[in-house]
Amino acid sequence: MSHADEIEERPDIDGGRPPRLTRQIIGHDEGFADFTHSRARARLHHSWLLSGIKGIGKASFAYQVARHLLLNTPADTPVRQNLPDTDTDMRLIDSGLHPDLFVLARGYDRDSAKLRSDIPVDDVRRMKSFFQLSSANGNWRVCIIDSLDEMNKYSLNSLLKILEEPPEKSIFFLITHRIGGLLDTIKSRSRLINFRPLTRPQLKQIITHHLPETAPEAAEAAAFLADGSAHMALTLAETGGFDLYRDLICLLDSLPRPDVESLHVFSDRFGPRGDAEKFPVFSFLLSSWLHRMLRGHIDGQNIVPVFSGEDEVAARFLGGASTGALLGLWEKINDDTRQAEALNLDRKQIVLDWFSNMGDMLG
């Protein structure tokens, strides 16, 4: 298997296109300005920690900055500026074959046709070997780690040793979706860029650009429900997330005594004969709904409804269950979603369990 085949094609703000092919990045002006300013002053830190929600454009940012470093553009060039696609180095980066760029991500297991559950220490050792070689052009060597959250404790400790004594003229872009769980020693050795959730107008701009056929009301709903994530906004617009959300609210409204047949028909969408790609979308919508409801309750505000009666459903949940119980359910949904992907668990049964838990809360 070639090096290019090993690179994970992780969708980002361009929908099904991987981040290394992204050219238009919406938002994140502060991050671009911070890096450009540091580079112009010749004060580039060796490790940059890119933190923010998943699908917001962190990997796309890392590739954009890497292009400027690997093409050795003038130090004061704004790193947001796009570079000619005709350049040989650009083509090498796009193909995953640039000799001075190393991407550390979960590998693809061809036998199971799935991504591996984590990034093992052996992959970090390969990265160490990469940095032992001389740069092809005597310029920067760049490593993008996507993401730290998928590294196990052994690979993280091995990475930490590299960050403590970084190779000369090397830059690491460390991507994390959950900075709170990171080792303090990694955070202390990195310069942090916080990626803020994209605004609804920015998300609508992305949807309109990449999916111009999307109906205005569907684009508006996808931008609202995506909770700041460009990847999720595009996914919702592409996969009928608006309809899935409507069905979710209808089922929530039927609790604690839903129609059993309707619930099973709904859950069948995520079972062995359903669409596996719909499960993470559904779990995101349910998790996001609970999060918005709890956030509004804590702030003393009602949930902003997408459909008529949705605020009444939220009020019943808040009246029938404690904040702690709802927070525990939200954490369980997120944990179950990660476990389902890692261990290939029965998605239909997981969804049925979630509704059973919610029914018990309201019963």
Side-chain angles (χ1 to χ4, degrees), residues 56 122 130 157 162 201 219 258 290 318 320:
I56 202 172
D122 286 346
F130 161 81
N157 285 333
I162 299 176
L290 286 167
L318 291 169

Side-chain angles (χ1 to χ4, degrees), residues 314-322 326 362:
R316 281 202 302 114
F317 268 77
L318 291 169
S322 68
L326 290 170
L362 300 181

Side-chain angles (χ1 to χ4, degrees), residues 21-139:
L21 299 182
T22 300
R23 296 296 187 263
Q24 182 187 36
I25 303 176
I26 304 296
H28 313 313
D29 294 341
E30 291 180 5
F32 280 112
D34 187 6
F35 194 93
T36 298
H37 183 65
S38 297
R39 187 183 181 210
R41 298 176 64 195
R43 293 185 178 179
L44 280 180
H45 200 281
H46 71 278
S47 176
W48 292 76
L49 184 58
L50 313 183
S51 172
I53 60 175
K54 193 171 185 178
I56 202 172
K58 302 184 296 296
S60 297
F61 174 93
Y63 275 102
Q64 176 68 6
V65 174
R67 283 190 279 268
H68 278 267
L69 295 173
L70 297 174
L71 271 69
N72 199 27
T73 59
D76 59 350
T77 304
V79 290
R80 181 185 282 281
Q81 179 178 310
N82 283 333
L83 302 173
D85 283 336
T86 54
D87 189 283
T88 301
D89 285 297
M90 288 284 284
R91 293 196 295 269
L92 288 172
I93 295 169
D94 287 351
S95 64
L97 297 174
H98 197 285
D100 290 333
L101 175 64
F102 189 94
V103 179
L104 187 62
R106 283 188 297 158
Y108 182 75
D109 187 337
R110 293 197 170 194
D111 293 334
S112 64
K114 294 182 180 297
L115 291 170
R116 296 186 176 91
S117 60
D118 62 10
I119 300 173
V121 68
D122 286 346
D123 287 357
V124 180
R125 293 187 181 119
R126 288 197 301 115
M127 181 183 70
K128 288 182 178 180
S129 299
F130 161 81
F131 280 112
Q132 289 172 357
L133 302 174
S134 300
S135 167
N137 300 313
N139 294 322

